[in-house]
Amino acid sequence: MLIDTYGRVATDLRVSLTDRCNLRCTYCMPEEGLQWLAKPDLLSDDEIVRLIDIAVTRLGITEVRFTGGEPLLRPGLVGIVERVAALEPRPQMSLTTNGIGLKRTATALKAAGLDRVNVSLDTLRPDVFKTLTRRDRHKDVIEGLEAARAAELTPVKVNSVLMPGLNENEAPDLLAWAVEHDYELRFIEQMPLDAQHGWKRDGMVTAGDILASLRTRFELTEEGSEERGSAPAERWVVDGGSHRVGVIASVTRPFCSACDRTRLTADGQVRTCLFAREETDLRAALRSDAPDEEIARIWRLAMWGKKAGAGLDDPTFVQPDRPMSAIGG
């Protein structure tokens, strides 16, 4: 298993399939994009499947989330999902996507064995979407969400980041829309993972701000820590019904003590935390023909050294060198 010195056990693997993205969200990367990883530096499909196999069969991983950049840009995605679905034991598989391209791939991904999707959508207004993402693709995301629901990649979860001066007042409208369409909405506090290092704690839209806004229109009943488990989202029952809304307060209410994640970057590095400044290289071991047990040993050692917390409340906190698009969400 992947245990650390604080007794936490990682059972959830986040796999970044590419650092590339077809949006340019203001809270992630600059308008001109980034210097992408060279193709030889990326893990091959076979290497990705092998590392997931090691994680599942030797290290106790039970859930795999495919991320990016934008994972739908990975040409071999459907084949990777199909091969991971054939592993014994079979892990639960999900995908975090911006939804562009999901309309044409949702059915194939479901047939390959994908269980569900998380789709990023920060606004219901096409003009605000264009400002936030620097791309006019709002309609494509809405159609992708509909395709995911039709393909039964459920529950379909929608992730929203609220930004001051842009969409900070949209929380109630987003929740009403999610309830109407049977999506599970989760708000995520903006995190210091932008490539341009422009994040500032002062002025950010906090979990408290979001909940106060939602309560102007909805009755929210806290679900409780027992239901939450190790999930990052605190959830509330909406108007006493069957729908839930979540808030991931990574900055103001960090949940590091219950973290059960390990992360694999698109170029084969283990990251113990989104905000880590250190990585452990598995690609070199793979390409030097190391046996599976040696790779598992390296991975265990990396996770053993995981820090107690992300350190966001430390005034000396320094952002990671790699932005969200290179790490995976």
Side-chain angles (χ1 to χ4, degrees):
M1 67 173 62
L2 293 171
I3 189 170
D4 65 34
T5 55
Y6 298 92
R8 297 168 297 191
V9 178
T11 57
D12 183 338
L13 170 61
R14 305 296 168 101
V15 182
S16 175
L17 298 179
T18 178
D19 59 330
R20 296 174 184 262
C21 189
N22 42 13
L23 296 180
R24 296 291 182 269
C25 297
T26 57
Y27 51 78
C28 185
M29 69 172 74
E31 186 171 4
E32 65 274 15
L34 299 168
Q35 172 121 23
W36 309 122
L37 291 166
K39 189 172 182 180
D41 293 336
L42 293 170
L43 294 177
S44 68
D45 292 359
D46 287 345
E47 289 171 333
I48 288 170
V49 173
R50 183 182 172 196
L51 286 175
I52 295 174
D53 187 348
I54 292 169
V56 169
T57 61
R58 295 173 180 267
L59 298 173
I61 291 298
T62 59
E63 182 175 349
V64 175
R65 172 86 60 86
F66 296 108
T67 71
E70 173 45 52
L72 293 182
L73 295 178
R74 179 87 186 201
L77 173 61
V78 172
I80 290 171
V81 170
E82 188 171 36
R83 291 168 68 184
V84 174
L87 295 177
E88 291 290 344
R90 181 198 186 282
Q92 287 289 304
M93 284 186 293
S94 58
L95 176 84
T96 294
T97 172
N98 62 28
I100 297 173
L102 194 53
K103 180 181 178 180
R104 69 174 181 270
T105 56
T107 300
L109 287 168
K110 179 66 176 181
L114 191 71
D115 295 301
R116 63 172 190 82
V117 293
N118 286 23
V119 179
S120 298
L121 181 65
D122 303 320
T123 177
L124 299 177
R125 295 178 289 169
D127 59 323
V128 176
F129 182 92
K130 188 174 180 180
T131 299
L132 275 167
T133 68
R134 305 184 179 102
R135 298 291 186 270
D136 190 11
R137 306 297 298 271
H138 188 265
K139 181 174 179 286
D140 296 317
V141 180
I142 297 296
E143 291 179 347
L145 279 160
E146 293 169 352
R149 186 179 58 200
E152 299 185 351
L153 289 168
T154 54
V156 177
K157 296 184 179 181
V158 176
N159 295 338
S160 297
V161 176
L162 300 183
M163 301 288 290
L166 287 172
N167 62 340
E168 62 185 314
N169 298 319
E170 281 198 65
D173 291 340
L174 282 162
L175 181 53
W177 167 82
V179 169
E180 178 186 355
H181 294 278
D182 201 25
Y183 302 137
E184 183 177 324
L185 180 63
R186 306 191 309 172
F187 292 99
I188 304 175
E189 289 183 333
Q190 183 196 2
M191 294 181 283
L193 290 168
D194 57 310
Q196 55 272 43
H197 287 200
W199 177 87
K200 289 182 174 57
R201 185 184 296 269
D202 294 341
M204 64 171 284
V205 181
T206 67
D209 298 331
I210 294 165
L211 291 169
S213 179
L214 291 175
R215 286 186 169 117
T216 63
R217 196 183 305 180
F218 301 94
E219 179 184 341
L220 302 181
T221 306
E222 192 167 3
E223 193 174 56
S225 58
E226 188 172 319
E227 288 288 334
R228 179 184 183 186
S230 61
E234 298 175 78
R235 299 204 310 172
W236 282 263
V237 178
V238 180
D239 288 341
S242 59
H243 289 92
R244 305 288 187 272
V245 62
V247 179
I248 300 177
S250 303
V251 177
T252 60
R253 294 202 290 268
F255 39 85
C256 301
S257 63
C259 181
D260 65 350
R261 297 178 181 181
T262 184
R263 299 176 183 276
L264 186 65
T265 67
D267 55 348
Q269 310 299 306
V270 170
R271 293 183 69 92
T272 60
C273 173
L274 266 177
F275 304 102
R277 294 185 61 79
E278 305 84 21
E279 298 177 335
T280 300
D281 188 5
L282 294 185
R283 185 186 63 195
L286 279 172
R287 295 181 181 178
S288 62
D289 296 324
D292 287 358
E293 186 48 50
E294 173 60 14
I295 293 170
R297 185 194 68 80
I298 296 170
W299 205 332
R300 287 190 196 99
L301 187 61
M303 293 304 294
W304 181 251
K306 183 174 181 174
K307 294 181 179 179
L312 294 179
D313 54 350
D314 186 336
T316 64
F317 172 78
V318 179
Q319 287 189 221
D321 295 328
R322 296 224 247 177
M324 175 76 82
S325 62
I327 300 169

